[in-house]
Amino acid sequence: MPGAAAACGGDARETVKAPLVANDFLEAQVDELRGAVSSGYARGRHGARQDRQE
């Protein structure tokens, strides 16, 4: 059993769900930190969130 699946007890749904939940948490942290950084320090680089197209 691969590492991620083993960490989730072999449950395929939980294996897929775990990184999605972690990503949501990290995105919330980034949004909170962007609000805490002064606009002068960031020089306007962190305005409204823009989704990248990759």
Side-chain angles (χ1 to χ4, degrees):
M1 198 178 316
C8 294
D11 186 348
R13 287 183 183 208
E14 290 300 316
T15 303
V16 173
K17 184 179 171 185
L20 296 173
V21 171
N23 191 50
D24 285 342
F25 172 75
L26 293 172
E27 284 181 352
Q29 280 190 322
V30 168
D31 289 341
E32 182 179 332
L33 291 171
R34 278 188 182 144
V37 173
S38 72
S39 59
Y41 179 77
R43 295 187 180 128
R45 288 180 283 206
H46 300 291
R49 183 173 173 204
Q50 298 173 357
D51 290 337
R52 288 189 252 159
Q53 294 179 350
E54 297 178 6

mmCIF file of all heavy atoms in Angstrom:
data_model
loop_
_atom_site.group_PDB
_atom_site.id
_atom_site.type_symbol
_atom_site.label_atom_id
_atom_site.label_comp_id
_atom_site.label_asym_id
_atom_site.label_seq_id
_atom_site.Cartn_x
_atom_site.Cartn_y
_atom_site.Cartn_z
ATOM 1 N N MET A 1 0.854 -1.178 0.000
ATOM 2 C CA MET A 1 0.000 0.000 0.000
ATOM 3 C C MET A 1 0.905 1.249 0.000
ATOM 4 O O MET A 1 1.779 1.373 0.835
ATOM 5 C CB MET A 1 -0.880 -0.029 1.254
ATOM 6 C CG MET A 1 -2.075 0.852 1.190
ATOM 7 S SD MET A 1 -3.158 0.778 2.660
ATOM 8 C CE MET A 1 -3.297 -0.943 3.017
ATOM 9 N N PRO A 2 0.709 2.189 -0.930
ATOM 10 C CA PRO A 2 1.522 3.413 -0.965
ATOM 11 C C PRO A 2 1.372 4.232 0.314
ATOM 12 O O PRO A 2 0.407 4.079 1.066
ATOM 13 C CB PRO A 2 0.962 4.184 -2.165
ATOM 14 C CG PRO A 2 0.244 3.172 -2.982
ATOM 15 C CD PRO A 2 -0.225 2.113 -2.035
ATOM 16 N N GLY A 3 2.313 5.133 0.543
ATOM 17 C CA GLY A 3 2.356 5.914 1.780
ATOM 18 C C GLY A 3 1.099 6.714 2.078
ATOM 19 O O GLY A 3 0.604 6.697 3.207
ATOM 20 N N ALA A 4 0.584 7.444 1.110
ATOM 21 C CA ALA A 4 -0.599 8.274 1.357
ATOM 22 C C ALA A 4 -1.815 7.420 1.688
ATOM 23 O O ALA A 4 -2.584 7.733 2.596
ATOM 24 C CB ALA A 4 -0.883 9.159 0.144
ATOM 25 N N ALA A 5 -1.988 6.334 0.964
ATOM 26 C CA ALA A 5 -3.125 5.457 1.222
ATOM 27 C C ALA A 5 -2.990 4.784 2.591
ATOM 28 O O ALA A 5 -3.970 4.638 3.314
ATOM 29 C CB ALA A 5 -3.239 4.404 0.125
ATOM 30 N N ALA A 6 -1.775 4.414 2.955
ATOM 31 C CA ALA A 6 -1.544 3.791 4.264
ATOM 32 C C ALA A 6 -1.843 4.780 5.387
ATOM 33 O O ALA A 6 -2.410 4.404 6.415
ATOM 34 C CB ALA A 6 -0.108 3.294 4.360
ATOM 35 N N ALA A 7 -1.468 6.035 5.194
ATOM 36 C CA ALA A 7 -1.716 7.060 6.208
ATOM 37 C C ALA A 7 -3.209 7.286 6.416
ATOM 38 O O ALA A 7 -3.631 7.714 7.490
ATOM 39 C CB ALA A 7 -1.045 8.362 5.815
ATOM 40 N N CYS A 8 -4.000 7.008 5.409
ATOM 41 C CA CYS A 8 -5.458 7.191 5.492
ATOM 42 C C CYS A 8 -6.180 5.874 5.729
ATOM 43 O O CYS A 8 -7.379 5.759 5.457
ATOM 44 C CB CYS A 8 -5.969 7.867 4.222
ATOM 45 S SG CYS A 8 -5.383 9.549 4.029
ATOM 46 N N GLY A 9 -5.465 4.877 6.192
ATOM 47 C CA GLY A 9 -6.083 3.591 6.503
ATOM 48 C C GLY A 9 -6.547 2.814 5.288
ATOM 49 O O GLY A 9 -7.425 1.962 5.398
ATOM 50 N N GLY A 10 -5.991 3.100 4.123
ATOM 51 C CA GLY A 10 -6.366 2.379 2.913
ATOM 52 C C GLY A 10 -7.637 2.874 2.249
ATOM 53 O O GLY A 10 -8.053 2.331 1.239
ATOM 54 N N ASP A 11 -8.259 3.905 2.792
ATOM 55 C CA ASP A 11 -9.501 4.445 2.234
ATOM 56 C C ASP A 11 -9.171 5.409 1.094
ATOM 57 O O ASP A 11 -8.571 6.463 1.305
ATOM 58 C CB ASP A 11 -10.284 5.171 3.330
ATOM 59 C CG ASP A 11 -11.655 5.641 2.868
ATOM 60 O OD1 ASP A 11 -11.935 5.609 1.652
ATOM 61 O OD2 ASP A 11 -12.448 6.051 3.731
ATOM 62 N N ALA A 12 -9.551 5.040 -0.125
ATOM 63 C CA ALA A 12 -9.222 5.847 -1.299
ATOM 64 C C ALA A 12 -9.855 7.236 -1.234
ATOM 65 O O ALA A 12 -9.222 8.233 -1.600
ATOM 66 C CB ALA A 12 -9.675 5.128 -2.573
ATOM 67 N N ARG A 13 -11.074 7.327 -0.745
ATOM 68 C CA ARG A 13 -11.745 8.633 -0.658
ATOM 69 C C ARG A 13 -11.009 9.560 0.303
ATOM 70 O O ARG A 13 -10.827 10.734 0.035
ATOM 71 C CB ARG A 13 -13.187 8.485 -0.219
ATOM 72 C CG ARG A 13 -14.067 7.928 -1.288
ATOM 73 C CD ARG A 13 -15.499 7.870 -0.828
ATOM 74 N NE ARG A 13 -16.316 7.263 -1.852
ATOM 75 C CZ ARG A 13 -17.590 7.525 -2.012
ATOM 76 N NH1 ARG A 13 -18.208 8.350 -1.200
ATOM 77 N NH2 ARG A 13 -18.270 6.947 -2.975
ATOM 78 N N GLU A 14 -10.592 9.016 1.447
ATOM 79 C CA GLU A 14 -9.863 9.818 2.421
ATOM 80 C C GLU A 14 -8.489 10.220 1.886
ATOM 81 O O GLU A 14 -7.990 11.291 2.181
ATOM 82 C CB GLU A 14 -9.720 9.079 3.753
ATOM 83 C CG GLU A 14 -11.028 8.947 4.500
ATOM 84 C CD GLU A 14 -11.661 10.290 4.851
ATOM 85 O OE1 GLU A 14 -10.949 11.198 5.305
ATOM 86 O OE2 GLU A 14 -12.885 10.424 4.672
ATOM 87 N N THR A 15 -7.875 9.345 1.076
ATOM 88 C CA THR A 15 -6.578 9.642 0.479
ATOM 89 C C THR A 15 -6.688 10.844 -0.458
ATOM 90 O O THR A 15 -5.793 11.684 -0.512
ATOM 91 C CB THR A 15 -6.045 8.416 -0.284
ATOM 92 O OG1 THR A 15 -5.973 7.309 0.622
ATOM 93 C CG2 THR A 15 -4.676 8.675 -0.869
ATOM 94 N N VAL A 16 -7.776 10.951 -1.190
ATOM 95 C CA VAL A 16 -7.993 12.084 -2.095
ATOM 96 C C VAL A 16 -8.452 13.313 -1.324
ATOM 97 O O VAL A 16 -8.044 14.440 -1.621
ATOM 98 C CB VAL A 16 -9.029 11.708 -3.190
ATOM 99 C CG1 VAL A 16 -9.403 12.909 -4.025
ATOM 100 C CG2 VAL A 16 -8.473 10.600 -4.068
ATOM 101 N N LYS A 17 -9.267 13.112 -0.308
ATOM 102 C CA LYS A 17 -9.832 14.223 0.458
ATOM 103 C C LYS A 17 -8.782 14.970 1.288
ATOM 104 O O LYS A 17 -8.849 16.196 1.413
ATOM 105 C CB LYS A 17 -10.933 13.680 1.379
ATOM 106 C CG LYS A 17 -11.676 14.728 2.159
ATOM 107 C CD LYS A 17 -12.754 14.042 2.996
ATOM 108 C CE LYS A 17 -13.382 14.999 3.972
ATOM 109 N NZ LYS A 17 -14.329 14.330 4.846
ATOM 110 N N ALA A 18 -7.817 14.256 1.840
ATOM 111 C CA ALA A 18 -6.832 14.857 2.745
ATOM 112 C C ALA A 18 -6.079 16.044 2.125
ATOM 113 O O ALA A 18 -6.017 17.119 2.732
ATOM 114 C CB ALA A 18 -5.859 13.804 3.253
ATOM 115 N N PRO A 19 -5.499 15.922 0.927
ATOM 116 C CA PRO A 19 -4.795 17.087 0.369
ATOM 117 C C PRO A 19 -5.740 18.228 -0.011
ATOM 118 O O PRO A 19 -5.350 19.392 0.020
ATOM 119 C CB PRO A 19 -4.058 16.545 -0.850
ATOM 120 C CG PRO A 19 -4.570 15.179 -1.080
ATOM 121 C CD PRO A 19 -5.271 14.722 0.131
ATOM 122 N N LEU A 20 -6.988 17.911 -0.346
ATOM 123 C CA LEU A 20 -7.945 18.966 -0.670
ATOM 124 C C LEU A 20 -8.280 19.790 0.572
ATOM 125 O O LEU A 20 -8.345 21.021 0.514
ATOM 126 C CB LEU A 20 -9.226 18.374 -1.267
ATOM 127 C CG LEU A 20 -9.056 17.658 -2.611
ATOM 128 C CD1 LEU A 20 -10.353 16.982 -3.009
ATOM 129 C CD2 LEU A 20 -8.592 18.620 -3.676
ATOM 130 N N VAL A 21 -8.465 19.116 1.694
ATOM 131 C CA VAL A 21 -8.743 19.800 2.953
ATOM 132 C C VAL A 21 -7.537 20.623 3.378
ATOM 133 O O VAL A 21 -7.662 21.785 3.783
ATOM 134 C CB VAL A 21 -9.142 18.791 4.049
ATOM 135 C CG1 VAL A 21 -9.211 19.447 5.409
ATOM 136 C CG2 VAL A 21 -10.473 18.141 3.698
ATOM 137 N N ALA A 22 -6.343 20.048 3.238
ATOM 138 C CA ALA A 22 -5.114 20.761 3.595
ATOM 139 C C ALA A 22 -4.942 21.998 2.718
ATOM 140 O O ALA A 22 -4.550 23.065 3.209
ATOM 141 C CB ALA A 22 -3.911 19.837 3.458
ATOM 142 N N ASN A 23 -5.247 21.889 1.444
ATOM 143 C CA ASN A 23 -5.116 23.023 0.530
ATOM 144 C C ASN A 23 -6.080 24.141 0.906
ATOM 145 O O ASN A 23 -5.707 25.325 0.895
ATOM 146 C CB ASN A 23 -5.365 22.577 -0.907
ATOM 147 C CG ASN A 23 -4.992 23.646 -1.900
ATOM 148 O OD1 ASN A 23 -3.897 24.191 -1.830
ATOM 149 N ND2 ASN A 23 -5.896 23.935 -2.822
ATOM 150 N N ASP A 24 -7.309 23.806 1.261
ATOM 151 C CA ASP A 24 -8.274 24.818 1.692
ATOM 152 C C ASP A 24 -7.764 25.557 2.927
ATOM 153 O O ASP A 24 -7.873 26.780 3.026
ATOM 154 C CB ASP A 24 -9.634 24.194 1.999
ATOM 155 C CG ASP A 24 -10.400 23.822 0.746
ATOM 156 O OD1 ASP A 24 -10.056 24.328 -0.342
ATOM 157 O OD2 ASP A 24 -11.348 23.022 0.868
ATOM 158 N N PHE A 25 -7.201 24.805 3.875
ATOM 159 C CA PHE A 25 -6.652 25.404 5.083
ATOM 160 C C PHE A 25 -5.502 26.359 4.747
ATOM 161 O O PHE A 25 -5.453 27.483 5.245
ATOM 162 C CB PHE A 25 -6.168 24.305 6.035
ATOM 163 C CG PHE A 25 -5.427 24.830 7.224
ATOM 164 C CD1 PHE A 25 -6.114 25.440 8.270
ATOM 165 C CD2 PHE A 25 -4.054 24.715 7.312
ATOM 166 C CE1 PHE A 25 -5.427 25.931 9.378
ATOM 167 C CE2 PHE A 25 -3.364 25.196 8.416
ATOM 168 C CZ PHE A 25 -4.060 25.803 9.443
ATOM 169 N N LEU A 26 -4.602 25.933 3.880
ATOM 170 C CA LEU A 26 -3.455 26.772 3.514
ATOM 171 C C LEU A 26 -3.888 28.016 2.740
ATOM 172 O O LEU A 26 -3.335 29.100 2.936
ATOM 173 C CB LEU A 26 -2.447 25.954 2.709
ATOM 174 C CG LEU A 26 -1.750 24.851 3.495
ATOM 175 C CD1 LEU A 26 -0.920 23.980 2.567
ATOM 176 C CD2 LEU A 26 -0.899 25.426 4.612
ATOM 177 N N GLU A 27 -4.881 27.884 1.869
ATOM 178 C CA GLU A 27 -5.386 29.049 1.142
ATOM 179 C C GLU A 27 -5.992 30.066 2.104
ATOM 180 O O GLU A 27 -5.814 31.275 1.923
ATOM 181 C CB GLU A 27 -6.420 28.631 0.097
ATOM 182 C CG GLU A 27 -5.812 28.002 -1.134
ATOM 183 C CD GLU A 27 -6.847 27.614 -2.172
ATOM 184 O OE1 GLU A 27 -8.064 27.702 -1.884
ATOM 185 O OE2 GLU A 27 -6.436 27.219 -3.268
ATOM 186 N N ALA A 28 -6.687 29.599 3.124
ATOM 187 C CA ALA A 28 -7.254 30.503 4.125
ATOM 188 C C ALA A 28 -6.146 31.224 4.883
ATOM 189 O O ALA A 28 -6.257 32.427 5.154
ATOM 190 C CB ALA A 28 -8.148 29.740 5.092
ATOM 191 N N GLN A 29 -5.073 30.518 5.190
ATOM 192 C CA GLN A 29 -3.945 31.153 5.870
ATOM 193 C C GLN A 29 -3.292 32.211 4.995
ATOM 194 O O GLN A 29 -2.936 33.287 5.469
ATOM 195 C CB GLN A 29 -2.903 30.121 6.281
ATOM 196 C CG GLN A 29 -3.242 29.369 7.528
ATOM 197 C CD GLN A 29 -2.073 28.553 8.018
ATOM 198 O OE1 GLN A 29 -1.326 27.970 7.235
ATOM 199 N NE2 GLN A 29 -1.917 28.515 9.325
ATOM 200 N N VAL A 30 -3.122 31.909 3.718
ATOM 201 C CA VAL A 30 -2.517 32.876 2.793
ATOM 202 C C VAL A 30 -3.381 34.133 2.701
ATOM 203 O O VAL A 30 -2.875 35.250 2.743
ATOM 204 C CB VAL A 30 -2.307 32.251 1.393
ATOM 205 C CG1 VAL A 30 -1.962 33.313 0.363
ATOM 206 C CG2 VAL A 30 -1.213 31.202 1.455
ATOM 207 N N ASP A 31 -4.687 33.954 2.596
ATOM 208 C CA ASP A 31 -5.587 35.108 2.527
ATOM 209 C C ASP A 31 -5.489 35.953 3.795
ATOM 210 O O ASP A 31 -5.471 37.189 3.732
ATOM 211 C CB ASP A 31 -7.032 34.662 2.310
ATOM 212 C CG ASP A 31 -7.276 34.113 0.907
ATOM 213 O OD1 ASP A 31 -6.463 34.406 0.002
ATOM 214 O OD2 ASP A 31 -8.267 33.392 0.720
ATOM 215 N N GLU A 32 -5.399 35.291 4.950
ATOM 216 C CA GLU A 32 -5.276 36.015 6.216
ATOM 217 C C GLU A 32 -3.955 36.784 6.279
ATOM 218 O O GLU A 32 -3.918 37.948 6.679
ATOM 219 C CB GLU A 32 -5.349 35.017 7.376
ATOM 220 C CG GLU A 32 -5.278 35.656 8.733
ATOM 221 C CD GLU A 32 -5.366 34.637 9.852
ATOM 222 O OE1 GLU A 32 -5.978 33.568 9.659
ATOM 223 O OE2 GLU A 32 -4.821 34.918 10.926
ATOM 224 N N LEU A 33 -2.885 36.156 5.835
ATOM 225 C CA LEU A 33 -1.580 36.818 5.872
ATOM 226 C C LEU A 33 -1.498 37.966 4.871
ATOM 227 O O LEU A 33 -0.867 38.983 5.142
ATOM 228 C CB LEU A 33 -0.470 35.803 5.614
ATOM 229 C CG LEU A 33 -0.272 34.784 6.728
ATOM 230 C CD1 LEU A 33 0.695 33.695 6.291
ATOM 231 C CD2 LEU A 33 0.208 35.459 8.001
ATOM 232 N N ARG A 34 -2.135 37.800 3.719
ATOM 233 C CA ARG A 34 -2.156 38.902 2.738
ATOM 234 C C ARG A 34 -2.817 40.136 3.342
ATOM 235 O O ARG A 34 -2.392 41.252 3.098
ATOM 236 C CB ARG A 34 -2.918 38.495 1.488
ATOM 237 C CG ARG A 34 -2.109 37.715 0.531
ATOM 238 C CD ARG A 34 -2.866 37.521 -0.764
ATOM 239 N NE ARG A 34 -2.082 36.712 -1.672
ATOM 240 C CZ ARG A 34 -2.581 35.825 -2.506
ATOM 241 N NH1 ARG A 34 -3.883 35.644 -2.562
ATOM 242 N NH2 ARG A 34 -1.812 35.131 -3.289
ATOM 243 N N GLY A 35 -3.858 39.925 4.123
ATOM 244 C CA GLY A 35 -4.539 41.037 4.774
ATOM 245 C C GLY A 35 -3.689 41.697 5.842
ATOM 246 O O GLY A 35 -3.873 42.874 6.149
ATOM 247 N N ALA A 36 -2.752 40.956 6.414
ATOM 248 C CA ALA A 36 -1.913 41.488 7.477
ATOM 249 C C ALA A 36 -0.696 42.245 6.944
ATOM 250 O O ALA A 36 -0.083 43.021 7.675
ATOM 251 C CB ALA A 36 -1.437 40.352 8.383
ATOM 252 N N VAL A 37 -0.341 42.037 5.674
ATOM 253 C CA VAL A 37 0.829 42.696 5.091
ATOM 254 C C VAL A 37 0.409 44.070 4.588
ATOM 255 O O VAL A 37 -0.592 44.214 3.896
ATOM 256 C CB VAL A 37 1.403 41.850 3.934
ATOM 257 C CG1 VAL A 37 2.508 42.583 3.213
ATOM 258 C CG2 VAL A 37 1.900 40.525 4.451
ATOM 259 N N SER A 38 1.190 45.073 4.940
ATOM 260 C CA SER A 38 0.847 46.424 4.496
ATOM 261 C C SER A 38 0.989 46.533 2.985
ATOM 262 O O SER A 38 1.834 45.881 2.373
ATOM 263 C CB SER A 38 1.745 47.456 5.175
ATOM 264 O OG SER A 38 3.053 47.397 4.651
ATOM 265 N N SER A 39 0.178 47.385 2.377
ATOM 266 C CA SER A 39 0.233 47.534 0.921
ATOM 267 C C SER A 39 1.542 48.187 0.491
ATOM 268 O O SER A 39 2.040 47.934 -0.599
ATOM 269 C CB SER A 39 -0.962 48.344 0.418
ATOM 270 O OG SER A 39 -0.961 49.626 1.015
ATOM 271 N N GLY A 40 2.120 49.013 1.356
ATOM 272 C CA GLY A 40 3.409 49.622 1.023
ATOM 273 C C GLY A 40 4.513 48.591 0.957
ATOM 274 O O GLY A 40 5.358 48.619 0.062
ATOM 275 N N TYR A 41 4.521 47.665 1.884
ATOM 276 C CA TYR A 41 5.529 46.612 1.893
ATOM 277 C C TYR A 41 5.359 45.695 0.690
ATOM 278 O O TYR A 41 6.326 45.301 0.041
ATOM 279 C CB TYR A 41 5.446 45.804 3.188
ATOM 280 C CG TYR A 41 6.451 44.692 3.257
ATOM 281 C CD1 TYR A 41 7.786 44.949 3.556
ATOM 282 C CD2 TYR A 41 6.071 43.374 3.012
ATOM 283 C CE1 TYR A 41 8.711 43.924 3.610
ATOM 284 C CE2 TYR A 41 6.985 42.346 3.069
ATOM 285 C CZ TYR A 41 8.306 42.622 3.363
ATOM 286 O OH TYR A 41 9.217 41.610 3.412
ATOM 287 N N ALA A 42 4.136 45.348 0.381
ATOM 288 C CA ALA A 42 3.864 44.431 -0.723
ATOM 289 C C ALA A 42 3.938 45.129 -2.068
ATOM 290 O O ALA A 42 3.986 44.475 -3.106
ATOM 291 C CB ALA A 42 2.490 43.793 -0.557
ATOM 292 N N ARG A 43 3.937 46.461 -2.060
ATOM 293 C CA ARG A 43 3.999 47.273 -3.290
ATOM 294 C C ARG A 43 2.924 46.889 -4.291
ATOM 295 O O ARG A 43 3.146 46.807 -5.484
ATOM 296 C CB ARG A 43 5.379 47.149 -3.920
ATOM 297 C CG ARG A 43 6.469 47.718 -3.063
ATOM 298 C CD ARG A 43 7.790 47.738 -3.789
ATOM 299 N NE ARG A 43 8.799 48.286 -2.915
ATOM 300 C CZ ARG A 43 9.949 47.709 -2.639
ATOM 301 N NH1 ARG A 43 10.253 46.572 -3.222
ATOM 302 N NH2 ARG A 43 10.808 48.269 -1.827
ATOM 303 N N GLY A 44 1.736 46.608 -3.769
ATOM 304 C CA GLY A 44 0.602 46.328 -4.637
ATOM 305 C C GLY A 44 0.598 44.949 -5.263
ATOM 306 O O GLY A 44 -0.268 44.639 -6.063
ATOM 307 N N ARG A 45 1.559 44.100 -4.922
ATOM 308 C CA ARG A 45 1.634 42.773 -5.537
ATOM 309 C C ARG A 45 0.550 41.839 -5.023
ATOM 310 O O ARG A 45 0.253 40.838 -5.643
ATOM 311 C CB ARG A 45 2.992 42.145 -5.275
ATOM 312 C CG ARG A 45 4.098 42.809 -6.064
ATOM 313 C CD ARG A 45 5.375 42.124 -5.743
ATOM 314 N NE ARG A 45 5.798 42.615 -4.426
ATOM 315 C CZ ARG A 45 7.044 42.645 -4.010
ATOM 316 N NH1 ARG A 45 8.003 42.184 -4.769
ATOM 317 N NH2 ARG A 45 7.343 43.118 -2.818
ATOM 318 N N HIS A 46 -0.010 42.140 -3.872
ATOM 319 C CA HIS A 46 -0.978 41.230 -3.270
ATOM 320 C C HIS A 46 -2.335 41.891 -3.140
ATOM 321 O O HIS A 46 -2.911 41.953 -2.077
ATOM 322 C CB HIS A 46 -0.498 40.760 -1.899
ATOM 323 C CG HIS A 46 0.799 40.039 -1.968
ATOM 324 N ND1 HIS A 46 0.931 38.810 -2.552
ATOM 325 C CD2 HIS A 46 2.039 40.390 -1.545
ATOM 326 C CE1 HIS A 46 2.185 38.426 -2.471
ATOM 327 N NE2 HIS A 46 2.880 39.365 -1.869
ATOM 328 N N GLY A 47 -2.849 42.367 -4.253
ATOM 329 C CA GLY A 47 -4.172 42.963 -4.245
ATOM 330 C C GLY A 47 -5.221 41.877 -4.194
ATOM 331 O O GLY A 47 -5.063 40.861 -3.532
ATOM 332 N N ALA A 48 -6.261 42.054 -4.920
ATOM 333 C CA ALA A 48 -7.327 41.045 -4.971
ATOM 334 C C ALA A 48 -6.756 39.733 -5.498
ATOM 335 O O ALA A 48 -5.905 39.726 -6.386
ATOM 336 C CB ALA A 48 -8.450 41.533 -5.875
ATOM 337 N N ARG A 49 -7.227 38.660 -4.947
ATOM 338 C CA ARG A 49 -6.719 37.343 -5.348
ATOM 339 C C ARG A 49 -7.075 37.070 -6.792
ATOM 340 O O ARG A 49 -8.204 37.237 -7.229
ATOM 341 C CB ARG A 49 -7.327 36.285 -4.443
ATOM 342 C CG ARG A 49 -6.807 34.929 -4.754
ATOM 343 C CD ARG A 49 -7.291 33.942 -3.749
ATOM 344 N NE ARG A 49 -6.896 32.634 -4.184
ATOM 345 C CZ ARG A 49 -7.490 31.531 -3.838
ATOM 346 N NH1 ARG A 49 -8.502 31.574 -3.031
ATOM 347 N NH2 ARG A 49 -7.080 30.371 -4.283
ATOM 348 N N GLN A 50 -6.060 36.640 -7.528
ATOM 349 C CA GLN A 50 -6.276 36.303 -8.929
ATOM 350 C C GLN A 50 -5.912 34.838 -9.111
ATOM 351 O O GLN A 50 -4.831 34.400 -8.743
ATOM 352 C CB GLN A 50 -5.377 37.144 -9.826
ATOM 353 C CG GLN A 50 -5.656 38.634 -9.729
ATOM 354 C CD GLN A 50 -4.632 39.433 -10.515
ATOM 355 O OE1 GLN A 50 -3.702 38.902 -11.085
ATOM 356 N NE2 GLN A 50 -4.822 40.733 -10.516
ATOM 357 N N ASP A 51 -6.817 34.063 -9.660
ATOM 358 C CA ASP A 51 -6.545 32.656 -9.908
ATOM 359 C C ASP A 51 -5.680 32.545 -11.164
ATOM 360 O O ASP A 51 -5.999 33.126 -12.191
ATOM 361 C CB ASP A 51 -7.837 31.870 -10.089
ATOM 362 C CG ASP A 51 -8.607 31.752 -8.795
ATOM 363 O OD1 ASP A 51 -8.008 31.877 -7.713
ATOM 364 O OD2 ASP A 51 -9.818 31.542 -8.877
ATOM 365 N N ARG A 52 -4.607 31.804 -11.014
ATOM 366 C CA ARG A 52 -3.699 31.611 -12.152
ATOM 367 C C ARG A 52 -4.223 30.537 -13.073
ATOM 368 O O ARG A 52 -4.846 29.581 -12.642
ATOM 369 C CB ARG A 52 -2.322 31.178 -11.649
ATOM 370 C CG ARG A 52 -1.580 32.270 -10.982
ATOM 371 C CD ARG A 52 -0.181 31.807 -10.729
ATOM 372 N NE ARG A 52 -0.063 31.577 -9.293
ATOM 373 C CZ ARG A 52 0.844 30.813 -8.738
ATOM 374 N NH1 ARG A 52 1.721 30.205 -9.460
ATOM 375 N NH2 ARG A 52 0.888 30.661 -7.439
ATOM 376 N N GLN A 53 -3.949 30.703 -14.334
ATOM 377 C CA GLN A 53 -4.278 29.667 -15.302
ATOM 378 C C GLN A 53 -2.976 28.994 -15.692
ATOM 379 O O GLN A 53 -2.099 29.601 -16.278
ATOM 380 C CB GLN A 53 -4.962 30.250 -16.532
ATOM 381 C CG GLN A 53 -6.316 30.838 -16.253
ATOM 382 C CD GLN A 53 -6.933 31.427 -17.495
ATOM 383 O OE1 GLN A 53 -6.277 31.560 -18.513
ATOM 384 N NE2 GLN A 53 -8.205 31.773 -17.398
ATOM 385 N N GLU A 54 -2.850 27.738 -15.300
ATOM 386 C CA GLU A 54 -1.605 27.012 -15.595
ATOM 387 C C GLU A 54 -1.836 25.901 -16.566
ATOM 388 O O GLU A 54 -2.845 25.354 -16.702
ATOM 389 C CB GLU A 54 -1.010 26.452 -14.299
ATOM 390 C CG GLU A 54 -0.630 27.557 -13.351
ATOM 391 C CD GLU A 54 -0.078 27.001 -12.036
ATOM 392 O OE1 GLU A 54 0.103 25.774 -11.918
ATOM 393 O OE2 GLU A 54 0.158 27.798 -11.152
#
